[in-house]
């Protein structure tokens, strides 16, 4: 273990670190919780909570692509929706460009909505089926009073549609007339219609074919350079994350267990879960087959009934008594690389034990 | 939530629904028409005005301070007991089982409303169960065949039958059947005409065509067919069955459409599901695939509709009972509304509301047994 | 025919020859599969890769005779044990599915019947066909008894097992069938054995559970057990890990690799994920728009892809281990199969297309042993 | 997470849809409608009955409903005129000028049916349209507001669902008197809760779809999402229900008239016509058969139309 900058029990960042981060961070979530109550019993009391997001702090710097990776049920989408203020956090704060937007609503929130946009997993479902592409593209402009006239909005829409690689003939069509990749291009164009600074990409390519996925990924990279965008890229596909991101956060059962630079995470993972995830990804190179490598057993536990202490301990091959007893500390093992684990495990020598 | 918790919650909710129904019925029947309506069963022409007023006070409709009967009939201020007070005293009476007396001439003026209802309900129940049975017996196969032979002759046939049944006024169908069977075919068996009850079982209704039926019938349940079986009287059984056939078919035909449609669409939905493909890929027989895999899943919506059909039918099919002179509660309700017998209308509405609510609950509980996914 | 010695013509499990399938939709005739040739051998893991609309699932359904009503097989042969399945009656086809061809699908939540227990869904295969499965059921129970006897020490239990053994042996000799109750019992024991084989924890409990009570990975295992319990000659696994998380996917792929050694089936693994193919398969066939464009040994094809489409496909895949600066996907999208491009269906997107490509369709030729390609660049 | 790869290109990129846009969408619907025999026959019957009802005063003499004095129960040019006179029998169908026959008062049955049609259709349309309006408004409010308002609306519909359909109408008519407004209201009272439930469930389902969330993320206000997106997308099943219900309401309303709740003995209405014919059912069955048949045809027309529209709007068939 290198320098240990301990955070308190729930992982709140101390004030001293905040000052230096504020200037460069565009989006920041501080100690965010999102619990969904489960009602039950005779009187509809809350009998349990789905702890979808359970104390997460994450900051995204201007101009970077932050990757958020995890299995289904890890809470990555809920975290994204909380950051977008689509749902209210149970606890914690969201900052955008240094402003706390957690309690904003109505007109003041709308101002920030323009600056942060979102692209969804299923492009077809995220477009109103009864809206033509033109109408879908001009609607955000109308909402935020960006275009002064209908003509101006139409011109902007025409420009947008070409930016994402479609042509103006497509403007009069309905979403169902397009293929999946084209729909995702439309959804991206719609997100860009209001000149946002931050775009949340929630599994934008997971319903697409490989070659279409590559086209969309290339487009996203190109748009980021052109419009100076900041991305939060949510995905379960580790290869895509590697290709797209500058920094990566790994989520497991509602918490970020490891966060750091892409290279650091992929080349020297420090959390056993990150390591397991990486070794589970099938590599499109048959010469590197993991013939006899053990795989992570079991499945993600229910977020209603989260294991005590370290939440990964039920599947962790290194788990000890301490893991069950104590909540693991968030440790900065090298600058910008944080891990939530009791131990410093050297995976290169421990490959076999997995 | 556990099943019993769910049922308790629903029962509590049910009580509130029934109370709301009773309030609405009470306000409509007693709050709006002349206050004398509620008194009609209790006063006779020979009564003097003070006697009448006394009856009204006794029933909790008039205030004791009311000076005279004339003031009462003219709703003078301070003469009529406020409606909410009336409601609570009525509710108290009703809960103790006193539903008042009847004013329907064809049924018997002055008889107890509750007794009347109880005497007639078995007829309605018999008709309702018969009609529901016929509906299910025809709708289920029709819906299944229709779904498995989508867009082929059997499908078109059953869709047309369902649609026509849907679009046919019940009263008209009843007469068409009567014209065919009674007038043109003059079908009689055992000297009895189709669709008309043996007179020994009618409850004072106008039954000109009824043929008297001798025989020793004991009234065990009040429903003719059940009684015939229980008293081991085959001749009467046939008569009662014949009487039941036409009204039951008429009713069934009008409800057939809804059920067939639901069975067809849910069956088609089920057959489109992926698990059907897996079942076929396992090399199961087509019969097994349809009747075990698809039908069990398609049954759920059908059960809801069947429950609702049965509940509405148990509430009495006013039109059919009227046309076939079937002495059930529906016919009585029609008479009651023509003669403004508010006591009977109140009882009738509340009981039918109760039946509908209970049926809904029953269907939901049944769901939990059929579909393992449903947990309350 | 093939380079590897054990893959001789003798143990060919399934052969598809020149299969052509169209779909009649009201928009027009969709030419979904256009002359597919495929051979798979026993104990072989063949990967069938392609993007959506390439016809890989349709191929699987056509092999099993499960195409939807609006589909029509124009021509082709599906040879299984020397018989052409496409020419057989409905009943014979059902028998083939019952005994020889098993399918496993993606997303078992929708493929398992929600109102039936896992156990019933497995045992109904036998209880509905007791005549066919009589011998197999008894034999499998006898094997189980043998195994148990080997481990058992308790004399009481041993005598009990022996008793059962003699009873079953009499029944086996007997020409008459077994009772439904007995069939159910044997089927249950067999089902539990297979649930154990796919490494489901507490197989007896899983047997009584409904699909919604299981997690995604467990459902997938149950479905694999359902397929294997028939001891099929061919197992068609259609995108079986697509709906699963990476870690669970790794578990299932590991299971498939292990099972391949245990059961005597040829496995066709249909997927769109090149990583899975590289990780598990022996041979791979790449499909594009209803054609097989390249086929061969996995290592050979991944090292030396020939067809421009295959090359494009590899260029489009981001790698978990290497940082690629740019992805180089094939431009454009999958063609409309109602009016497919003439000649080679890939030519409108092909960077190397020349005048011959739109004119005629390139045949699948053997470029070198163990590597076939359908492209005019390599002859044909 | 889940990726469902649609393998079979069932997706109809039809030749009819090459020219895209809103107009082609309508054209496409019309094309589907033309291809669908249900819609075709349904719309012929429905539109035909609406036209006949609208023009009834012009097509036939409005006075033909009134009693004809002296009763012309003898038919014009009837060879059996004497026989009829002796038996005082209503004129049978097929006689010249009386294609459907006449009743005992010598009234032309065809004319009466044509005159009886408008009232049924008028009342049915007004009931369905009001129920639709109330239902969509309340349903939308309940679904979108949620919480206590939703609960309150739901419980109110619960209460009305517990009422046996026709009986509440019977009670209302019995108490408030027999005029057409009361009759209309009586049927409306039992009809509206269905629309509230239907609209509510549709909107709730639509609200959960990702595009609603996408709009929210875009910064669109609640009302904008509700009125411009969710309601237009969820209204179709409600429209189908309304089309189907026009027939249903006609049946219910004519049942009430049949049962003797007609405001006057001379109310021109089809159910009333059937009940008038009952006294003669053994001698003159056509007096019962034809008016009823007219009801069947009108109801069938709207039911066919509703069924057909449902087929056309079926997303599985469409997309």
């Amino acid at each position: 273990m290198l320098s240990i900058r301990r955070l308190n029990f729930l992982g709140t960042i101390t004030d001293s670190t905040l000052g230096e981060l504020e200037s460069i961070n565009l989006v920041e979530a501080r100690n965010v919780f999102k619990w969904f109550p489960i009602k039950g019993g005779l009187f509809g009391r809350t009998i349990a909570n789905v702890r979808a997001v359970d104390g997460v702090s994450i900051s995204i710097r201007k101009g970077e692509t932050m990757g958020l990776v995890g299995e289904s049920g890890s809470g990555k989408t809920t975290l994204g929706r909380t950051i977008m203020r689509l749902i209210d956090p149970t606890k914690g704060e969201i900052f955008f460009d240094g402003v706390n937007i957690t309690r904003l609503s109505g007109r003041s929130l709308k101002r920030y909505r323009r600056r942060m946009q979102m692209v969804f997993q299923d492009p077809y479902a995220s477009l109103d089926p009864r809206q033509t592409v033109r109408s879908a593209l001009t609607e955000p402009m109308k909402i935020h009073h960006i275009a002064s006239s209908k003509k101006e909005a139409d011109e902007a829409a025409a420009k947008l549609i070409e930016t994402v690689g479609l042509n103006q003939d497509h403007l009069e069509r309905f979403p169902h007339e397009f293929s999946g990749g084209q729909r995702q291009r439309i959804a991206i164009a719609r997100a860009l219609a209001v000149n946002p600074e931050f775009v949340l990409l929630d599994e934008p390519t997971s319903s697409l074919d490989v070659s279409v996925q590559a086209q969309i990924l290339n487009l996203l990279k190109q748009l980021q350079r052109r419009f100076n965008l900041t991305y939060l890229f949510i995905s379960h596909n580790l290869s895509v994350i590697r290709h797209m991101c500058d920094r990566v956060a790994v989520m497991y059962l509602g918490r970020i267990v490891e966060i750091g630079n892409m290279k650091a995470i992929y080349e020297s993972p420090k959390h056993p879960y990150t390591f397991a995830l990486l070794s589970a990804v099938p590599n499109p190179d048959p010469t590197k087959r993991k013939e006899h490598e053990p795989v992570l057993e079991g499945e993600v536990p229910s977020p209603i009934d989260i294991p005590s202490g370290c939440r990964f301990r039920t599947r962790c091959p290194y788990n000890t008594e301490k893991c069950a007893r104590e909540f693991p500390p968030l440790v900065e093992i090298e600058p910008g690389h944080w891990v939530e684990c009791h131990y410093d495990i050297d995976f290169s020598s421990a490959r076999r034990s997995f | 939530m556990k099943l019993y918790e769910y049922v308790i919650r629903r029962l509590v909710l049910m009580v509130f629904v029934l109370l709301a129904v009773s309030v609405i019925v009470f306000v409509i029947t007693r709050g709006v028409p002349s206050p004398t309506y509620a008194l009609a069963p209790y006063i006779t022409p020979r009564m003097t005005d003070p006697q009448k007023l006394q009856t009204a006070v006794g029933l909790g409709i008039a205030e004791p301070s009311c000076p005279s009967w004339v003031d009462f009939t003219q709703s003078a201020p301070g003469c009529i007991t406020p409606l909410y007070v009336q409601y609570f005293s009525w509710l108290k009476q009703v809960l103790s089982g006193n539903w008042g007396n009847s004013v329907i001439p064809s049924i018997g003026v002055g008889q107890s409303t509750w007794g009347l209802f109880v005497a007639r309900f078995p007829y309605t129940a018999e008709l309702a169960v018969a009609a529901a049975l016929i509906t299910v017996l025809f709708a289920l196969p029709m819906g299944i065949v229709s779904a498995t032979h989508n867009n082929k002759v059997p499908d078109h046939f059953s869709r047309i039958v369902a649609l026509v049944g849907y679009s046919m006024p019940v009263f008209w169908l009843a007469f068409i059947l009567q014209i065919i069977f009674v007038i043109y075919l003059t079908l009689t068996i055992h000297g009895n005409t189709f669709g008309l009850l043996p007179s020994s079982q009618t409850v004072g209704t106008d039954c000109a065509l009824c043929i008297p039926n001798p025989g020793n019938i004991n009234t065990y349940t009040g429903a003719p067919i059940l009684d015939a079986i229980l008293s081991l009287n085959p001749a009467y059984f046939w008569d009662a069955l014949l009487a039941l056939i036409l009204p039951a078919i008429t009713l069934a035909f009008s409800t057939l459409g809804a059920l067939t449609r639901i069975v067809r669409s849910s069956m088609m939905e089920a057959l489109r599901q992926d698990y059907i493909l897996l079942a076929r890929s396992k090399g199961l027989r087509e019969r097994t695939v349809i009747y075990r895999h698809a039908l069990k899943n398609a049954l759920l919506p059908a059960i809801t509709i069947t429950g609702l059909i049965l509940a509405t039918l148990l509430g009495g099919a006013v039109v059919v009972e009227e046309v076939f002179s079937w002495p059930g509660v529906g016919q009585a309700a029609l008479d009651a509304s023509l003669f403004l017998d508010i006591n009977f209308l109140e009882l009738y509405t509340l009981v039918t509301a109760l039946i509908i609510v209970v049926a809904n609950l029953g269907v939901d509980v049944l769901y939990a047994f059929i579909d393992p996914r449903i947990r309350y | 025919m093939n380079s590897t010695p054990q893959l001789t013509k003798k143990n060919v499990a399934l052969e598809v020859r020149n299969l052509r399938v169209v779909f009649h939709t009201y928009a027009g005739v969709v030419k979904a599969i256009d002359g597919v040739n495929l051979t798979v051998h026993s104990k072989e893991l063949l990967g069938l890769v392609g993007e959506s609309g390439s016809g890989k699932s349709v191929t699987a359904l056509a092999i099993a005779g499960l195409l939807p009503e609006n589909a029509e097989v124009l021509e082709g042969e599906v040879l299984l044990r020397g018989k052409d399945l496409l020419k057989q009656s409905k009943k014979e086809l059902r028998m083939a599915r019952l005994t020889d061809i098993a399918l496993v699908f993606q997303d078992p939540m929708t493929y398992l019947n929600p109102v039936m227990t896992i156990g019933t869904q497995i045992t109904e295969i036998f209880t509905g066909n007791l005549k066919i499965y009589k011998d197999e059921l008894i034999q499998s129970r006898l094997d189980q008894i043998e195994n148990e006897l080997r481990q058992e020490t308790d004399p009481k239990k041993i005598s009990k097992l022996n008793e059962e053994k003699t009873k079953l042996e009499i029944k086996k000799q007997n020409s008459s069938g077994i009772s439904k109750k007995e069939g159910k019992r044997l089927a249950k024991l067999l089902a539990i054995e297979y649930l154990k084989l796919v490494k489901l924890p507490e197989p007896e409990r899983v047997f009584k559970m409904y699909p919604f009570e299981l997690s995604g990975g467990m459902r997938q295992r149950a479905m694999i057990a359902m397929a294997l319990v028939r001891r099929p000659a061919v197992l068609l696994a259609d995108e079986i890990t697509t709906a699963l998380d990476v870690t669970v996917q790794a578990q299932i792929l590991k299971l498939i690799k292990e099972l391949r050694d245990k059961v005597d089936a040829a496995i066709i693994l249909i997927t769109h994920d090149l990583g899975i193919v590289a990780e598990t398969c022996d041979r791979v066939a790449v499909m594009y728009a209803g054609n097989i464009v390249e086929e061969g040994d996995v290592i050979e094809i991944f090292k030396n892809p020939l067809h421009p489409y295959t090359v494009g496909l590899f260029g489009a895949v981001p790698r978990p281990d290497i940082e690629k600066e740019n992805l180089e996907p094939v431009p454009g999208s999958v063609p409309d199969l109602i009016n497919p491009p003439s000649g080679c269906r890939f030519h409108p997107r092909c960077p190397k297309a020349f005048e011959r490509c739109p004119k005629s369709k390139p045949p699948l030729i053997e470029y070198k042993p163990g590597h076939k390609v359908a492209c005019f660049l390599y002859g044909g | 997470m889940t990726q469902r790869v649609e393998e079979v290109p069932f997706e109809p990129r039809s030749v009819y849809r090459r020219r895209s846009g809103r107009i082609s969408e309508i054209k496409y619907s019309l094309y589907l409608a033309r291809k669908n025999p249900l819609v075709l026959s349904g719309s012929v019957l429905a539109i035909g009955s609406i036209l006949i009802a609208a023009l009834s005063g012009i097509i036939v003499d409005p006075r033909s409903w009134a009693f004809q004095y002296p009763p012309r129960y003898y038919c014009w040019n009837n060879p059996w005129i004497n026989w009829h006179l002796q038996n005082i029998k209503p004129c049978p169908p097929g006689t010249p000028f009386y294609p459907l026959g006449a009743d005992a008062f010598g009234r032309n049955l065809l004319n009466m049916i044509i005159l009886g049609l408008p009232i049924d259709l008028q009342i049915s349309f007004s009931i369905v349209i009001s129920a639709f309006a109330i239902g969509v408004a309340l349903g939308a409010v309940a679904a979108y507001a949620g919480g206590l308002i939703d609960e309150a609306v739901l419980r109110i519909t619960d209460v009305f669902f517990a009422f046996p359909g026709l009986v509440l109408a019977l009670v209302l008519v019995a108490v408030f008197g027999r005029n057409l407004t009361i009759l209309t209201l009586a049927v409306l009272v039992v009809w509206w809760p269905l629309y509230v439930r239907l609209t509510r469930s549709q909107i709730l389902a639509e609200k959960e779809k990702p595009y609603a969330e996408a709009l929210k993320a875009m910064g669109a206000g609640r009302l904008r999402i509700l009125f411009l997106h969710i309601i237009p997308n969820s209204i179709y099943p409600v429209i189908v229900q309304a089309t189907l219900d026009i027939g249903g309401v006609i049946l219910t309303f004519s049942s009430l008239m049949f049962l003797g709740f007609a405001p006057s003995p001379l109310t021109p209405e089809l159910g009333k016509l059937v009940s008038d014919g009952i006294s003669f059912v053994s001698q003159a069955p056509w007096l019962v058969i034809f008016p009823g048949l007219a009801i069947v045809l009108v109801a069938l027309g709207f039911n066919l139309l509703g069924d057909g529209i449902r087929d056309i709007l079926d997303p599985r068939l469409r997309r």
Side-chain angles (χ1 to χ4, degrees), chain D residues 100-117:
Chain D
L100 300 183
D103 72 355
F105 306 105
R107 294 184 291 178
N108 188 334
L109 193 58
L110 179 63
N111 289 1
M112 291 211 288
I113 288 174
I114 290 174
L115 286 176
L117 205 54

Side-chain angles (χ1 to χ4, degrees), chain B residues 104 106-107 120 317-323 328-341 344-345 348, chain D residues 166-167 170-171 174 178 255-256 258-261:
Chain B
I104 311 171
S106 62
I107 294 168
R120 280 172 167 258
V318 177
V319 178
V320 169
E321 289 185 3
E322 174 66 15
V323 174
V329 287
Q331 195 197 31
L334 180 63
D335 286 349
S337 64
L338 288 172
F339 289 97
L340 213 69
D341 184 342
F344 189 86
L345 286 178
Y348 174 63
Chain D
L166 202 55
V167 174
L170 285 184
V171 175
R178 301 171 192 178
S255 296
L256 277 175
F258 170 84
L259 289 174
F261 289 99

Side-chain angles (χ1 to χ4, degrees), chain A residues 72 81 84 86 110 113 116-118 120-121 124-132 139-140 142-144 172-174 176-179 183 190 203 206-208 236, chain D residues 1-5 11 13 17-25 206 209-221 224 228-230 232-233 236 318-319:
Chain A
S72 55
R81 281 159 44 116
M84 290 300 291
L86 286 173
K110 196 174 154 187
R113 286 239 193 272
M116 44 207 283
Q117 290 289 310
M118 186 166 173
F120 291 81
Q121 170 176 8
Y124 185 43
S126 72
L127 293 164
D128 183 345
R130 293 172 36 80
Q131 226 177 2
T132 57
E139 181 155 16
K142 273 184 213 151
I143 293 168
H144 293 287
E172 301 312 321
R173 295 200 189 166
F174 286 91
H176 64 86
E177 296 175 73
F178 293 93
S179 67
R183 284 176 197 152
R190 183 178 63 173
E203 308 249 13
S206 68
S207 62
L208 304 174
H236 65 273
Chain D
M1 180 87 227
T2 314
Q3 178 185 14
R4 289 191 61 104
V5 183
E11 211 171 307
R13 295 271 155 68
R17 329 193 63 194
R18 274 289 132 81
R19 252 177 285 114
S20 42
R22 217 170 274 278
I23 292 162
S24 86
E25 197 70 5
E206 207 66 31
K209 289 195 179 157
Y211 77 81
E213 194 175 37
L215 285 161
K216 191 179 169 192
M218 231 157 69
R224 180 185 197 102
L228 292 184
H229 298 277
I230 291 183
N233 270 307
Y236 283 118
R318 202 177 174 82
R319 264 140 216 180

Side-chain angles (χ1 to χ4, degrees), chain A residues 70-73 179 182 208-215 217-218 221 225 236-240 242-243 245 262-263 266-267 273 276-300 315, chain C residues 50-52 215-218 221 245-251 253-254 257 272-282 298-299 302-303 309 313-334 349:
Chain A
E71 295 178 279
S72 55
S179 67
Q182 287 172 321
L208 304 174
D209 274 319
V210 246
S211 56
V212 182
Q213 165 176 292
Q215 291 168 7
L217 293 180
N218 283 348
K221 273 199 160 180
R225 278 195 295 273
H236 65 273
N237 188 328
L238 287 129
S239 312
V240 170
R242 166 151 210 166
H243 182 72
C245 300
M262 186 271 286
K263 263 210 162 65
Y266 276 76
E267 277 156 25
Y273 178 63
L277 263 188
L278 284 171
S279 55
V281 182
N283 192 343
D285 185 350
T287 53
K288 291 185 182 169
R289 250 185 215 192
K290 299 182 275 281
E291 275 300 349
H292 301 288
E293 220 161 275
V295 295
L296 190 61
E297 292 298 325
E299 286 174 46
V300 187
R315 299 169 77 192
Chain C
E51 298 180 279
S52 343
S215 70
M218 286 164 86
R221 284 168 196 269
D245 280 321
V246 256
T247 55
V248 184
Q249 166 176 296
Q251 294 167 12
L253 291 180
K254 197 177 167 203
K257 275 192 278 187
H272 67 277
D273 189 337
L274 289 167
I276 291 174
V277 175
E279 200 71 52
T280 39
C281 298
D282 305 323
V298 166
I299 295 178
F302 275 71
K303 207 165 61 186
Y309 175 68
L313 211 53
F314 286 132
V317 184
R319 297 275 296 256
D321 54 338
I322 303 167
E323 204 178 344
K324 278 190 184 176
E325 195 41 53
N326 271 317
L327 299 177
E328 284 141 13
V330 195
S333 57
V334 187
R349 295 172 74 187

Side-chain angles (χ1 to χ4, degrees), chain B residues 148 152 273-286 288 292-294 296-297 300 370-375, chain C residues 61 66 69 94 97-98 101 103 105 110-116 120-122 124-125 128-129 210 212-213 223 226 230:
Chain B
T148 48
K152 293 194 183 98
Q273 296 300 313
D274 292 338
Y275 54 78
I276 296 296
L277 189 64
L278 181 74
R280 289 207 174 109
S281 85
K282 286 193 289 191
L284 299 180
R285 273 168 237 264
E286 196 58 22
T288 321
R292 271 182 61 167
H293 283 260
K296 209 174 167 194
N297 281 283
L300 289 168
I370 293 184
D371 192 338
R373 284 167 298 180
I374 295 173
R375 291 279 180 275
Chain C
L61 291 180
L66 284 170
E69 267 177 37
R94 181 174 81 79
R97 286 201 295 269
L98 187 63
I101 298 176
L103 276 93
F105 299 93
T110 62
Y111 279 98
L112 291 173
N113 194 329
V115 299
M116 286 164 88
T120 326
Q121 292 189 55
I122 300 178
E124 68 177 347
I125 299 167
N129 304 285
Y210 288 96
F212 75 98
E213 294 172 294
M223 201 147 119
M226 206 173 286
R230 285 170 271 168

